[in-house]
Structure formats: structure tokens, C-alpha cells
Amino acid sequence: ILLALITFLVGRSMVRPITALEEGTAMIARGNFAHRVIVRGRNEMTKLAESLNTMAEKLRDSYAREQERSAELSQKVGELESARIGMSATVRELEETHIRIEREMAKDKAILASIGDGVVVTNEKGDILFINPVAAELLGVNANEAVGKSAVGVITEVDAQGTIYAPTRRPLLRVLASGRRFGTTVSNPSWYVRRGAAAIPIATIIT
């Protein structure tokens, strides 16, 4: 009976650590990295339990780092998505603005083209943006070819004696530099050379 009792106690002392290791391994495998296997004594089972606990600790730390990186990545993805939505809205606004400007320019061109007087529109550098048919006919120039070119180069202006104005004397450039309005009258006109013909007097207003 005593032998049987000793055998039972020895067997039980060996089974408990094995059971604890099996249960601990299963819990860690299910993702419970905080679980620790407790095996008393100093034997091979204890060393195995310590190794399992060390592995669980490392897995927990690694999992925590992965969760942190995943959170950071999710945040960056959210920021990029917000930026994409913002960019899409900006692009739509720019497209709508571009369409509106084109419509306004088309309307303005139609109005200018229908005016009975000659009209030449330039930018702040003096490059021609628009020239209506009346002005093109008076100056003998091709309206489509003139657009984008310097008005000083396309339109030749002379004084009453037929001497071509130096660029520095051109009223257009003086108006662009000073911002002050310039005008001539029928009795005291500006003279422009019509391509392929003599100079013609034209009353002008430059603003």
C-alpha cells in the first residue's frame, strides 16, 4: 500500500507540470500572451516552463509593437484619405472656376467682337490677348496670328511725319508702366501703319 501511495504521488507530481505546460501552451497559442506557466521545483519541467514564459513575454512585446505600428499605419491611411478627399474637392473647384472663367471670357470676346470700334486687349506685358475684327481690318493684321505676340511688334505706330516711334515713346508701354490713361482725338489722332498700306489716322484710348 505504501509503495502504491508513493507511486501515485510521484506520478501525480510528474503529471501536474505536464498538464500545466499543455494548458499554458494552448492559452498562449490562442493569443493569451499574459498567461504564465507555474511549475515548482528545479528540474527539466521548470526550465521548459521558464522558456515557455520567456517566449510568451517576447510574443506579447512583439504583438504590442505590431498593434502600435498598425495603429500608426491606420492613422496615416486616414490622413492620406482625408488629403485625397481634400485634393479632389480642390480639383473640382479649380475645374469649375476654369469653366466659369472660360464662359466669361467667351462672353466678353463676343461683346468686344461686336463693338463697332477697333479693340485690342493686352496683358500687363503688352502681349495681345484679343483683337476684334474691326481692329484687325484697320491694322491689316490676322487676328489669330496676332494673339500672343507683342502689340508693339504687331502694330506699327508713327508720328504725323511718318517716323516710326521708338519703343520707349510708344503710348501703350507708357500706359503699362505708369498706369495712367492716354487718348487722342480725331483732330489730333494717333497714326498707325496698315500693313501693306500708308499710315492712317486713328483716335485712340489706351487704359
Side-chain angles (χ1 to χ4, degrees):
I1 293 172
L2 180 60
L3 180 60
L5 180 59
I6 293 173
T7 302
F8 172 74
L9 292 175
V10 171
R12 189 175 180 184
S13 67
M14 293 182 63
V15 170
R16 280 181 177 175
I18 294 174
T19 302
L21 287 169
E22 289 178 346
E23 292 176 351
T25 302
M27 294 187 71
I28 292 170
R30 288 195 295 269
N32 185 4
F33 303 128
H35 180 74
R36 294 294 177 267
V37 178
I38 299 175
V39 176
R40 303 188 184 282
R42 299 301 301 173
N43 51 39
E44 294 300 323
M45 292 295 182
T46 306
K47 292 179 180 179
L48 186 58
E50 290 175 351
S51 297
L52 187 62
N53 290 337
T54 300
M55 181 187 71
E57 182 101 16
K58 291 180 179 179
L59 286 172
R60 185 187 65 181
D61 293 344
S62 178
Y63 183 69
R65 288 194 297 270
E66 288 300 323
Q67 283 187 315
E68 185 178 346
R69 280 197 290 265
S70 179
E72 291 176 354
L73 182 60
S74 297
Q75 182 180 352
K76 289 180 180 179
V77 169
E79 292 172 354
L80 287 173
E81 180 64 14
S82 299
R84 185 191 66 80
I85 293 172
M87 285 292 293
S88 297
T90 301
V91 169
R92 283 196 300 272
E93 290 176 3
L94 289 174
E95 289 176 346
E96 292 171 359
T97 301
H98 180 68
I99 291 172
R100 185 170 63 253
I101 290 173
E102 282 191 334
R103 288 175 179 171
E104 291 174 355
M105 288 181 63
K107 182 177 67 175
D108 291 342
K109 284 184 178 181
I111 293 172
L112 292 172
S114 64
I115 292 176
D117 295 327
V119 177
V120 179
V121 180
T122 73
N123 60 16
E124 67 278 2
K125 296 179 180 179
D127 299 328
I128 296 174
L129 300 177
F130 174 79
I131 179 168
N132 76 347
V134 176
E137 176 64 24
L138 283 172
L139 299 170
V141 299
N142 184 301
N144 293 327
E145 293 178 358
V147 171
K149 296 179 180 178
S150 171
V152 173
V154 173
I155 303 170
T156 303
E157 187 175 0
V158 298
D159 58 21
Q161 287 72 43
T163 303
I164 297 175
Y165 278 123
T168 53
R169 292 186 59 203
R170 294 293 293 267
L172 171 62
L173 297 184
R174 295 207 305 270
V175 170
L176 291 174
S178 65
R180 281 181 280 188
R181 184 175 180 272
F182 173 85
T184 60
T185 63
V186 174
S187 59
N188 184 27
S190 299
W191 292 82
Y192 293 93
V193 176
R194 189 176 190 279
R195 189 169 298 178
I200 56 174
I202 301 176
T204 60
I205 297 175
I206 304 174
T207 60

